[in-house]
Amino acid sequence: MTIWRLAWRSALARRRLFAWNVAVPLLLLTPVALSAAAAPHRVAVFGVFIVFFAAFGSAIPAVRDARDGWIDEILRAGYPALRWLLERTLAGTAIDALQLAPTLFVLLWSAGGLRAAPVVLPATIATLWFANLLGPLVAAAVRSLAEAALASAALSLLLLHFAGFFRTPAPGWTSLVADWNPYTPLRAALGAAVGPMPMDDSVWLRSLLVAAGFTFGAAIFASDWSRRLRWPRT
Amino acid sequence: MTPPAVPPLVAARGLSYAYPDGSAALRELSLEIRDGERFGLLGPNGCGKSTFLRLLAGEGIRGLRRDSSVDGARQRWLAPDQPVLRSWLSGRENAATLLELHGARPREARAAADAWIERFGLSGDANRPARTYSSGMRRRLALAAAFGARPRLLLLDEPLAGLDPGGRAAFATALADHRAGGGTAVLSVHDPGFAAANCDRVAFIVDGRCAVADTPARLLGRIGVRPRVEIRFPAGGNPDRETLDPAPAGVRPASWGEGSLLLEVEDPSRALPETLAWILRAGASVASVDVREPGLADAFAILTGRDLEETAEDTA
């Protein structure tokens, strides 16, 4: 679990950054949570923030680690690429969840208590896992931090859109895509928390199957994937 | 009866490698590294030393054969020319993390990191973030981690860069101890004097090829260069070459430069007074006299026809 420990050591060594990562979501999202904005708007703001928080926080450090030679060092040391990927994703998910916990508490409390916690927390964790897993994929496809930020934003917005965060999917293919989108449980859970939007339990199964399938695919291709992150590329 | 030949620990035979952009880094490079030796790679910038070290550290490539004892990734350790450190972690955390990545248990990693950080004189700074380290301190830390792992095959890319005399001495001692412990080290260096004093064998690398590899003593023996005396003249103080007498016995002018004369002499201590008298008789003034023993830089220049100071771009 060296990569897991390294991720935690790194997060805790930069205390100021850690504090900012707790404070900024609180400062930005508390007014939204307490506002009288319509439930779909609040869901969209929270969804975009949570996904971007994890996606940027995964892709940008992955590019930086590649550029600084860390990933090359890790893999050259014989550390299995799959373990690197899974430990990194797990640690990123746990750290993001910890940093977002106060904000989620405010959201749940403002929505009338913690009754929606059993759906919001798993949905958030599943979302963070998926967004963290996308980080190295994005990093493998780009050449700079700026490209990583741009690609993460574009990919995240696309997935958020097809998950129905910005408009309710119409019956037909958009609805089908939403059914199989890994971010759909978060939309459904946030909707159940902040407004009278009942949650369809089947959302869970389909979307989590997609996330599990993506994780399985990432595991199979982890070695090839990580090779693209070995800079300098000799 | 002749003892059976011991196979080399690493053998490169006709090893070629090109970067993704197509430019050749290694061209049919062939050399052997024996078990337990300190093997130096000497050559100008861009000649392929770092690429060769990376390939030695890597997963394997056609033309490169490694003994099974160093085939596992954890038996090899590459300390790259740019130390790979997390700037916000302390020196101790960085070294321990690197050791953990190479398979050490957390407790062992911390103990080894502490011991080697002390050997490289960083104990007082071990808890400071690596971002506050000078380049020499970063180098010391990277070397501490590398030696702390006790790999069978230690690959060091420009390990002297940024090191002060204390750091160089600590490194030379660690290198000797590593060899005494049965380890093998391959290091690229730009300091011929260090290579001559601390390497069992040295390879001269030029344009991605190994021009020659041998012990420093044999390399020097091959060139047969005598000690050199360089006499520098002040402005207007050059001797009149027309009226210059023949050089004293045992002294041979090697080259005339702008305001200087380079001589090869058999025995500088005996020939120097006579040589100076010879120069002064021709009406010269002398600004300085420098006596140089031949070194690996001379051997490199003579055996490869190239200068150690030049870069790949200079010769392209």
Side-chain angles (χ1 to χ4, degrees):
Chain A
M1 294 294 279
T2 305
I3 301 302
W4 164 267
R5 280 195 295 275
L6 175 63
W8 279 101
R9 273 181 202 156
S10 297
L12 298 174
R14 293 179 294 174
R15 291 191 200 93
R16 209 167 66 132
L17 181 64
F18 195 97
W20 275 112
N21 280 339
V22 174
V24 168
L26 263 177
L27 288 170
L28 290 179
L29 296 183
T30 299
V32 177
L34 300 178
S35 73
H41 296 168
R42 281 189 279 166
V43 167
V45 171
F46 267 82
V48 168
F49 193 95
I50 290 169
V51 168
F52 273 38
F53 189 81
F56 279 64
S58 175
I60 290 174
V63 173
R64 190 197 55 219
D65 285 353
R67 188 193 58 194
D68 294 350
W70 258 104
I71 296 174
D72 186 47
E73 183 76 34
I74 289 165
L75 300 175
R76 205 177 51 234
Y79 210 82
L82 176 59
R83 270 182 64 188
W84 163 74
L85 183 66
L86 294 181
E87 284 183 41
R88 183 187 190 283
T89 305
L90 188 63
T93 302
I95 293 165
D96 287 347
L98 188 65
Q99 290 171 336
L100 288 172
T103 308
L104 289 174
F105 177 80
V106 170
L107 172 78
L108 291 169
W109 174 77
S110 67
L114 298 177
R115 62 175 173 79
V119 287
V120 169
L121 293 182
T124 304
I125 287 168
T127 299
L128 294 176
W129 170 270
F130 189 79
N132 270 283
L133 199 56
L134 280 182
L137 175 66
V138 167
V142 301
R143 290 275 175 160
S144 68
L145 294 175
E147 283 181 42
L150 197 64
S152 291
L155 190 60
S156 298
L157 283 172
L158 198 68
L159 286 167
L160 284 162
H161 172 70
F162 284 114
F165 273 90
F166 307 130
R167 59 182 294 182
T168 307
W173 72 271
T174 50
S175 183
L176 186 70
V177 170
D179 285 347
W180 293 95
N181 189 309
Y183 294 153
T184 300
L186 182 68
R187 178 181 59 80
L190 291 173
V194 303
M197 299 184 212
M199 186 160 167
D200 174 6
D201 284 344
S202 65
V203 165
W204 281 106
L205 184 65
R206 285 193 300 271
S207 300
L208 292 180
L209 272 176
V210 173
F214 189 80
T215 305
F216 184 68
I220 290 172
F221 294 108
S223 184
D224 289 333
W225 202 1
S226 59
R227 197 166 289 136
R228 291 186 56 80
L229 292 166
R230 296 183 75 165
W231 295 357
R233 291 169 178 155
T234 54
Chain B
M1 198 171 103
T2 335
V6 179
L9 192 71
V10 176
R13 304 215 195 286
L15 177 63
S16 294
Y17 183 80
Y19 292 121
D21 68 1
S23 57
L26 299 178
R27 298 180 177 92
E28 301 277 314
L29 181 139
S30 295
L31 57 82
E32 290 185 350
I33 296 159
R34 298 168 194 155
D35 195 7
E37 71 179 350
R38 292 166 297 177
F39 192 91
L41 302 171
L42 206 57
N45 289 335
C47 70
K49 303 185 298 292
S50 298
T51 303
F52 180 56
L53 287 172
R54 286 198 164 271
L55 293 177
L56 284 182
E59 289 163 7
I61 185 170
R62 193 173 162 203
L64 187 66
R65 201 188 61 74
R66 286 186 295 237
D67 185 79
S68 59
S69 65
V70 291
D71 223 18
R74 287 180 176 165
Q75 273 82 53
R76 307 186 298 271
W77 181 297
L78 171 69
D81 56 341
Q82 300 287 333
V84 177
L85 302 174
R86 289 259 191 202
S87 58
W88 50 82
L89 293 184
S90 70
R92 175 177 283 124
E93 285 173 320
N94 266 295
T97 300
L98 286 169
L99 290 165
E100 280 183 49
L101 285 174
H102 282 258
R105 292 206 170 93
R107 186 176 295 179
E108 295 165 1
R110 280 195 298 274
D114 284 346
W116 281 91
I117 279 172
E118 190 177 351
R119 279 193 67 166
F120 275 90
L122 284 175
S123 288
D125 303 293
N127 291 322
R128 276 172 45 197
R131 68 170 175 271
T132 64
Y133 282 18
S134 68
S135 62
M137 292 165 78
R138 290 171 69 85
R139 176 74 55 196
R140 284 177 186 235
L141 183 61
L143 291 172
F147 283 105
R150 296 196 299 177
R152 284 270 290 134
L153 180 58
L154 185 52
L155 306 162
L156 304 157
D157 196 1
E158 302 196 17
L160 300 175
L163 285 186
D164 60 16
R168 287 165 75 103
F171 171 59
T173 307
L175 201 57
D177 290 349
H178 180 70
R179 180 181 187 270
T184 304
V186 185
L187 55 151
S188 73
V189 283
H190 284 289
D191 181 342
F194 186 91
N198 295 284
C199 292
D200 302 306
R201 288 197 306 140
V202 176
F204 291 166
I205 310 290
V206 178
D207 293 339
R209 296 185 185 89
C210 174
V212 59
D214 214 329
T215 63
R218 284 204 200 113
L219 288 170
L220 289 172
R222 282 190 197 198
I223 57 172
V225 174
R226 298 170 181 174
R228 292 175 175 212
V229 173
E230 187 178 33
I231 300 174
R232 290 195 167 274
F233 310 111
N238 284 36
D240 181 359
R241 288 169 67 177
E242 299 296 320
T243 60
L244 196 62
D245 295 333
V251 177
R252 192 182 73 79
S255 66
W256 285 89
E258 193 70 34
S260 69
L261 169 61
L262 192 63
L263 302 158
E264 281 185 11
V265 294
E266 279 177 9
D267 183 353
S269 59
R270 289 176 62 183
L272 210 51
E274 209 177 329
T275 305
L276 284 173
W278 166 63
I279 288 291
L280 293 171
R281 272 202 307 276
S285 308
V286 173
S288 67
V289 178
D290 184 27
V291 180
R292 279 202 295 128
E293 290 293 325
L296 282 184
D298 301 295
F300 189 94
I302 290 167
L303 294 176
T304 69
R306 304 284 277 275
D307 192 338
L308 260 180
E309 303 291 321
E310 71 192 17
T311 63
E313 290 77 29
D314 295 333
T315 57

